[in-house]
Amino acid sequence: MRFDLFHTRVDAHIRKAQEYLQAANLARIEHQIAADHHLALASMYAQRVTWLEQELSESVSRFSPPFRGVMTVAAEGGKRGAESVVSLQRSAPVSNG
């Protein structure tokens, strides 16, 4: 009986390489499935953004001009400009009586 302690075993190396290949293929398939899932989610959220922007635009058009200016500033990500200043005036004095 001969001991090959310092020699590589070719059949063990091939089996290990095949195991690594199978694991790599499985990981590739799992990541492809995850990528397809994320692509579907991104598409769904893009449709939701479009729908919400349309709903917001329609509801904002029903309000008076001071609210329209506030909603425009909020929709633009908080950019400040001349339209962002809204002054509200009291229509009748408040009595403490």
Side-chain angles (χ1 to χ4, degrees), residues 21-97:
L21 178 62
Q22 289 174 349
N25 276 325
L26 182 61
R28 180 186 57 85
I29 291 168
E30 290 173 347
H31 284 283
Q32 183 63 47
I33 290 169
D36 293 342
H37 175 72
H38 287 290
L39 182 63
L41 284 176
S43 175
M44 179 197 69
Y45 282 118
Q47 291 172 359
R48 183 179 290 178
V49 165
T50 302
W51 175 74
L52 288 171
E53 285 175 342
Q54 182 180 3
E55 289 290 320
L56 184 61
S57 174
E58 289 173 5
S59 65
V60 166
S61 66
R62 295 181 193 142
F63 291 108
S64 62
F67 288 105
R68 191 172 301 140
V70 171
M71 297 306 283
T72 301
V73 171
E76 292 176 357
K79 293 180 184 174
R80 296 188 181 263
E83 299 86 24
S84 66
V85 178
V86 178
S87 62
L88 301 175
Q89 297 178 358
R90 221 179 266 186
S91 58
V94 176
S95 63
N96 294 334

